[in-house]
Amino acid sequence: MKKVLETGIEVVFAGLLAGCLFYCMVAGAGTTAYVILAAILSIAISVTLCAGFHYIRKLKRQLEELEEKQ
């Protein structure tokens, strides 16, 4: 249950971050190509950030497990 909650929080965070980035990049834009590229970039940035945070937490858990074994 805890893992599902953490994943849900990450998905919501990524969605909010992508929405904010998209709004900031598209404010005043007129062409469709610009809007599509901004959407792709905003999703890529937020997914990359969330993947980085997830990887850092995974490494932290692995370090804690190693410390417990010693």
Side-chain angles (χ1 to χ4, degrees):
M1 180 68 183
K2 183 180 177 183
K3 187 164 184 126
V4 172
L5 185 61
E6 287 178 359
T7 304
I9 290 172
E10 288 177 6
V11 169
V12 169
F13 177 74
L16 289 173
L17 182 61
C20 290
L21 286 169
F22 180 74
Y23 177 76
C24 290
M25 287 188 276
V26 183
T31 64
T32 305
Y34 182 80
V35 172
I36 292 170
L37 290 174
I40 292 170
L41 181 64
S42 63
I43 291 170
I45 289 171
S46 39
V47 167
T48 302
L49 284 174
C50 287
F53 290 140
H54 180 72
Y55 184 65
I56 289 170
R57 284 199 332 241
K58 177 184 171 189
L59 290 176
K60 184 179 176 184
R61 275 188 250 125
Q62 288 177 346
L63 281 173
E64 290 172 354
E65 289 175 5
L66 284 174
E67 289 175 356
E68 288 176 3
K69 289 180 181 179
Q70 293 180 356

